[in-house]
Amino acid sequence: MLTFPNTPDANLPSGVPVLTARPVTPAVAEHGEGPVWHPSFDGVRWVDMQAGDILELAGTEDVRRTHVGTVAACFRPRRDGGIVLANQRGFVLLDEAMQVERRLPEVWDDPGIRMNEGAADPAGNFWAGSMAYDQTPGAGALYRLAPDLSVEKVLDGVTVSNGFGSSPDGMRAYYVDTPTRKIDVFDHRDGTLSGRRTALRIVEGPGSPDGLTVDAEGCVWVALYGGAAVHRYTPDGELLAAVPLPVGQVTACTFGGPELDRLYITTSRENLDADALAAQPLAGALFCVDLPGVRGLPVLEFAG
């Protein structure tokens, strides 16, 4: 049975530091995902995915909401301004005001499949993965949008394509297919993935890996969907720290702030019944953790 206090999880190994998260918004998103911090933004941005909206926390209280499509799966800043968005079945280039600059052709036409999580890499590619609305096993894939705006399917047979992140030297890429309960790692060279293997398995406690980010020390921070927490692991899979949250459906995390010393965490209230929502009134809120002594990496930008 899940409980939702900001207290240590009994499933954690003894001695694992527990960090405190605080809400920085009310429960503003049905399905919050994909937080991004960038100097060109007024504040941290994230998506309310199936509402098709990008949210932005400007200052300490004002949450701005911009509707960008039927689905706003994930986005990243572009090097020359604006953002690239993975929408329901493909990619869209938006200008700095988040208005459509160019809509690329749909990658597929099956209405039962949608885009999900993604990220850019050091070479300026944008990676985004798909999933079936009903989570049909193996129905999803991972795609690479190159700076020349060509699209390639890189992996298929994916069920719920989720977190993607690069090591500090750019030589490794971490990747999550959520139902596997593990984080895989690839060798990464100029937008090419090879040598897939398991970096770590989520074995302690409930929850499955969702979105992730990598810090300046090369450690992986992963949101545990259904697990009410974010965990920090070494590249070898040692659990270094835990951030418990008062909501179960924890979806993604990113570093932000001028010094990249804050961890922003998105959450979801999707498919929760009245009793679950009463127990988790902050489901759908954005949370923040101050991280003394830990720094993130600047968000990687799309070069197209």
Side-chain angles (χ1 to χ4, degrees):
M1 178 179 177
L2 269 180
T3 56
F4 307 102
N6 245 2
T7 55
D9 187 330
N11 295 295
L12 292 177
S14 62
V16 172
V18 175
L19 308 177
T20 300
R22 67 183 189 277
V24 290
T25 73
V28 293
E30 180 71 13
H31 185 58
E33 268 277 15
V36 180
W37 174 279
H38 189 262
S40 68
F41 301 164
D42 288 338
V44 64
R45 291 179 180 175
W46 68 108
V47 300
D48 191 350
M49 186 179 289
Q50 296 200 61
D53 294 343
I54 294 177
L55 310 183
E56 183 172 42
L57 180 62
T60 58
E61 295 182 355
D62 182 22
V63 177
R64 302 173 185 166
R65 181 180 290 265
T66 303
H67 187 66
V68 293
T70 304
V71 169
C74 58
F75 67 94
R76 284 298 185 271
R78 296 160 60 196
R79 288 181 184 172
D80 294 331
I83 63 176
V84 58
L85 170 74
N87 63 2
Q88 189 169 22
R89 294 193 286 272
F91 300 98
V92 180
L93 303 182
L94 305 179
D95 64 19
E96 293 183 1
M98 290 189 280
Q99 301 301 304
V100 174
E101 181 178 300
R102 181 173 177 181
R103 195 178 301 277
L104 304 184
E106 289 191 346
V107 180
W108 65 86
D109 58 11
D110 184 345
I113 307 292
R114 65 166 173 83
M115 283 291 195
N116 201 44
E117 181 64 279
D121 70 15
N125 301 287
F126 182 51
W127 299 78
S130 63
M131 60 176 285
Y133 280 98
D134 64 3
Q135 299 191 24
T136 299
L142 177 65
Y143 298 88
R144 181 182 64 234
L145 175 65
D148 66 3
L149 305 185
S150 61
V151 179
E152 181 180 354
K153 181 191 290 187
V154 177
L155 293 176
D156 57 15
V158 174
T159 300
V160 180
S161 188
N162 248 313
F164 186 96
S166 298
S167 62
D169 63 5
M171 304 298 282
R172 296 181 306 284
Y174 295 96
Y175 176 67
V176 168
D177 182 2
T178 291
T180 67
R181 285 182 58 83
K182 60 189 177 73
I183 299 173
D184 287 341
V185 63
F186 293 84
D187 297 317
H188 190 199
R189 303 288 188 279
D190 298 322
T192 300
L193 303 181
S194 63
R196 184 177 185 174
R197 65 255 186 212
T198 298
L200 61 97
R201 297 183 184 274
I202 307 299
V203 295
E204 67 285 326
S208 298
D210 200 318
L212 62 78
T213 192
V214 181
D215 66 29
E217 298 174 21
C219 295
V220 179
W221 298 72
V222 60
L224 297 181
Y225 190 89
V230 171
H231 284 180
R232 184 195 192 205
Y233 296 92
T234 68
D236 296 326
E238 178 187 357
L239 179 62
L240 293 182
V243 184
L245 289 118
V247 303
Q249 295 179 170
V250 184
T251 56
C253 53
T254 197
F255 289 96
E259 303 300 321
L260 296 175
D261 58 354
R262 302 174 197 154
L263 189 72
Y264 287 97
I265 303 167
T266 52
T267 66
S268 173
R269 59 198 292 114
E270 186 177 44
N271 299 323
L272 296 181
D273 62 22
D275 289 341
L277 288 172
Q280 307 171 62
L282 287 172
L286 180 72
F287 291 80
C288 184
V289 184
D290 294 318
L291 298 170
V294 177
R295 296 292 184 273
L297 297 167
V299 64
L300 296 170
E301 301 167 328
F302 176 56

